[in-house]
Amino acid sequence: MAGSGVPRQLFLQGVAAVFTFAFASLYMQIPGLYGAEGILPARRTLRPQGKGRWQQLWETPTLLWEAPRLGLDTSQGLELLSLLGALLALGALLMRRLRNLFVYLLLWAAYLSACQVGQVFLYFQWDSLLLETGFLAALVAPLRPPPHHKQAPQGRLVGASPHEGLPFWLVRWLLFRLMFASGVVKLTSRCPAWWGLTALTYHYETQCLPTPASWFAHHLPVWLQKLSVVATFLIEIAVPPLFFAPLRRLRLAAFYSQVLLQVLIIITGNYNFFNLLTLVLTTALLDDGHLTAEPGNSRCKKRPTSWPRALLAMLSLLLEFTVYGLLAYGTVHCFGLEVDWEQHAVHSRTTFTFHQFTQWLKMVTLPTMWLGVASLAWELLNALWRWTQVRGWLRKLCTAVQLFIFGTATVALFVISLVPYSYIEPSSHGHLWTGAHRLFGAVEHLQLANSYGLFRRMTGLGGRPEVVLEGSYDGHHWTEIEFMYKPGNVSRPPPVVVPHQPRLDWQMWFAALGPHSHSPWFTSLVLRLLQGKDPVIRLIQNDAARYPFHRQPPTYVRAQRYKYQFSRPGERSQWWRRQWVEEFFPPVSLGDPTLDMLLRQFGLQDKSPPRARSSDNALAQALCWIRKQLSPLEASTLLWGLLAAVGAIRVMQALLGPHPSHSSPLAKEKHKPAPKKDSGAASKQPAPAPDNCSSSSQTPRRKK
């Protein structure tokens, strides 16, 4: 493999960008979700139990234990953490000097601290994925700001540490676990929509927050929807093993297939920063040779100079075509693809049974683990070989210590990750080394490795269930309370909110899938609306004028369950059709026995008022002032503004920075005067290569 210096930098920048979005999005929602007047006040989650400071921090790892020392309550401490996290991540995105181990470790610790008090609103798989990725970024990042290394002839950095590729390999392993498990669970769940290849005929309509493109995707021909499901299974189950392929072109083909899938999901669904984070993980499939290749080099292909190289190139090409052929044959065979020339369609169906699939999964789960072992062993051998090339005994000793530490950490994290990965197949989980289970159990609360499985089952097969809140002053005339993002008004187009995640809107989608008793927080939401709490109202409508009860809180609140479906083509001025199903939450008012009983049952009553903090605390006043300045902004607008600002700054950096031709080592070499040689030596020099191939002859690159 070629070097991975450029992909590592792309990865670190991408992780910093995602942390920026995650912290900024969370910050805008803290008062309504976790404030003293929020839905689930954060102060209830951290109660000292008389344990030692370090034991308490280990069992509940959050920096918010220290908030009282700063004169802040838990929600204010969470605001401070989110602000500092967003600023630190933004700095790492823009300045290379901040992309070091300590900065990413702080970002990981800050987000882990938030998740410890986030309760149900931070229990999403992408939050766990961000924590695991953030910790890997801390290992991938250098210990100190990287110096401007000279470029070696092979494209590697002179002086680069031998261990640098090891933690980056874990990123590839994480991407494999994420994609392979996400594909497998769709079939192990026995969901009839996935097995019938009809999942996407429901998905665009029933996902949490559709986009305008979802409406158009929903009305694509059914045969194309089913073929898209087949492509999804191919990309998520069959392609991921190619992440470890020895042939570069196979890894690049796997990379572009993953990018295609994630981009299509971004276009047709609002999945906050999840797909952006997955795209960041795909950088582990790239190398310097692919990202820094000069356009002129592609026109000047080098031919093998010896028959062993020619044979190796031919065998590599043969292996590549064999893999593509097997993928094509397996897809046609497993899904019965048939071309209907008369109807201009491709028909598909699942030709294997659930029993056959589980037997296949049992057969391949352990081998995929051994594939990971073999790939990691190869990376370790490469690192050892690079260590042997280090010159100078002092530098050799320092790099040996670094290689031992980072190599041990890489192996340990790989062993830990095998436990959650094996959840996809129970018998393989039982065959794992018991030491791996003990190691995973010791650090499970740190979320260093997690299990994944997205879109396990399709919901809303008869139409998407949607909860609609209503308020009234007299109990007879009801007014709907419309949210900013989730479906409500049938004439309003679906919004585009990526990379923001409106966490209340997401939980409203989950609440609609069952009775309200399965979502205890919903009772607290009703209470806050009856009380007219402004932080909670801002989660529903940031513009107070659009909230129907902005002048006076409603006397009664209730909730109805509807079934929403996309409108048909030709229905003008309408994006949705809906049908009433049943009452979701009964009409209640403040002091209502039903409401009080539910609050007691779920432990949501305010047993003790929050302790008053000193009003002259400068830090608290600064946080209050910042909140006042940012609160008029809608969260998605703030994040898009951040994105635009980062783009503008990067453009300015590119325009005002040193030109590559004057700063690159190659350019400096060109401007150096040639050493004097005698005429005899000069006469023996070979003729120079043609101009159009000179760059490739100076910096040869091997491509498979």
Side-chain angles (χ1 to χ4, degrees), residues 629-682:
Q629 304 306 310
L630 295 179
S631 58
L633 290 175
E634 190 178 326
S636 58
T637 304
L638 174 65
L639 266 63
W640 291 337
L642 276 174
L643 193 60
V646 168
I649 293 173
R650 296 309 295 265
V651 169
M652 294 299 294
Q653 287 177 335
L655 293 176
L656 300 178
H659 196 274
S661 62
H662 298 294
S663 60
S664 65
L666 281 176
K668 294 179 181 178
E669 289 292 334
K670 288 182 181 179
H671 291 292
K672 285 183 179 179
K676 294 183 179 180
K677 298 181 181 179
D678 59 347
S679 58

Side-chain angles (χ1 to χ4, degrees), residues 449-466:
N450 306 279
S451 60
Y452 303 101
L454 298 162
F455 307 109
R456 187 183 300 267
R457 299 185 66 88
M458 278 294 122
T459 58
L461 300 187
R464 67 173 293 143
E466 199 67 58

Side-chain angles (χ1 to χ4, degrees), residues 594-637:
T594 302
L595 180 61
D596 291 341
M597 182 268 293
L598 289 172
L599 291 172
R600 285 195 305 272
Q601 178 182 342
F602 299 135
L604 296 172
Q605 281 187 319
D606 288 323
K607 298 178 182 179
S608 59
R611 288 181 293 179
R613 299 285 176 184
S614 175
S615 59
D616 58 355
N617 187 316
L619 186 55
Q621 290 177 355
L623 289 172
C624 184
W625 181 84
I626 296 173
R627 172 67 60 186
K628 192 174 295 184
Q629 304 306 310
L630 295 179
S631 58
L633 290 175
E634 190 178 326
S636 58
T637 304

Side-chain angles (χ1 to χ4, degrees), residues 369-386:
M369 296 182 189
W370 284 110
L371 175 65
V373 170
S375 180
L376 178 56
W378 178 255
E379 291 292 332
L380 288 168
L381 289 174
N382 273 336
L384 284 172
W385 182 84
R386 289 194 295 269

Side-chain angles (χ1 to χ4, degrees), residues 286-504:
L286 299 174
D287 55 52
D288 292 342
H290 183 66
L291 293 175
T292 61
E294 298 178 10
N297 290 348
S298 61
R299 297 192 300 268
C300 185
K301 297 180 180 179
K302 297 192 303 177
R303 296 179 180 178
T305 57
S306 59
W307 70 264
R309 288 189 176 185
L311 180 61
L312 182 62
M314 185 178 65
L315 291 176
S316 298
L317 191 62
L318 181 62
L319 177 59
E320 186 179 347
F321 281 117
T322 301
V323 170
Y324 294 145
L326 288 174
L327 288 175
Y329 172 78
T331 303
V332 172
H333 176 73
C334 294
F335 297 101
L337 300 184
E338 296 178 357
V339 180
D340 189 333
W341 298 106
E342 294 182 359
Q343 298 182 4
H344 303 286
V346 178
H347 300 298
S348 55
R349 69 187 190 282
T350 307
T351 61
F352 53 92
T353 65
F354 178 78
H355 175 72
Q356 289 173 327
F357 179 75
T358 53
Q359 290 299 311
W360 174 85
L361 184 61
K362 186 180 298 185
M363 182 176 64
V364 302
T365 301
L366 283 176
T368 56
M369 296 182 189
W370 284 110
L371 175 65
V373 170
S375 180
L376 178 56
W378 178 255
E379 291 292 332
L380 288 168
L381 289 174
N382 273 336
L384 284 172
W385 182 84
R386 289 194 295 269
W387 175 76
T388 62
Q389 308 304 305
V390 175
R391 296 291 179 261
W393 68 269
L394 184 59
R395 176 167 169 73
K396 205 175 187 72
L397 178 62
C398 292
T399 53
V401 172
Q402 292 179 357
L403 180 59
F404 175 76
I405 294 174
F406 283 90
T408 303
T410 300
V411 172
L413 286 173
F414 172 71
V415 172
I416 290 171
S417 70
L418 293 177
V419 177
Y421 170 67
S422 64
Y423 291 160
I424 61 175
E425 209 288 300
S427 64
S428 300
H429 180 72
H431 285 95
L432 275 183
W433 176 47
T434 56
H437 289 279
R438 288 197 298 268
L439 193 59
F440 174 74
V443 298
E444 184 177 7
H445 63 297
L446 299 178
Q447 300 193 49
L448 302 182
N450 306 279
S451 60
Y452 303 101
L454 298 162
F455 307 109
R456 187 183 300 267
R457 299 185 66 88
M458 278 294 122
T459 58
L461 300 187
R464 67 173 293 143
E466 199 67 58
V467 172
V468 176
L469 279 163
E470 298 176 339
S472 173
Y473 290 119
D474 56 10
H476 299 288
H477 302 87
W478 296 88
T479 303
E480 290 188 9
I481 299 174
E482 188 174 354
F483 284 64
M484 284 186 288
Y485 307 113
K486 83 178 193 68
N489 186 344
V490 295
S491 300
R492 190 188 66 175
V496 177
V497 299
V498 170
H500 171 55
Q501 181 182 1
R503 295 184 180 268
L504 177 59

Side-chain angles (χ1 to χ4, degrees), residues 245-297:
L247 300 185
R248 181 167 175 257
R249 283 197 295 262
L250 287 178
R251 295 194 302 273
L252 292 177
F255 165 78
Y256 285 110
S257 67
Q258 302 302 317
V259 170
L260 174 64
L261 177 63
Q262 299 307 317
V263 169
L264 290 176
I265 295 175
I266 290 173
I267 293 172
T268 58
N270 286 297
Y271 289 96
N272 50 80
F273 57 79
F274 166 62
N275 303 109
L276 300 176
L277 182 55
T278 307
L279 287 173
V280 171
L281 294 177
T282 61
T283 57
L285 303 178
L286 299 174
D287 55 52
D288 292 342
H290 183 66
L291 293 175
T292 61
E294 298 178 10
N297 290 348

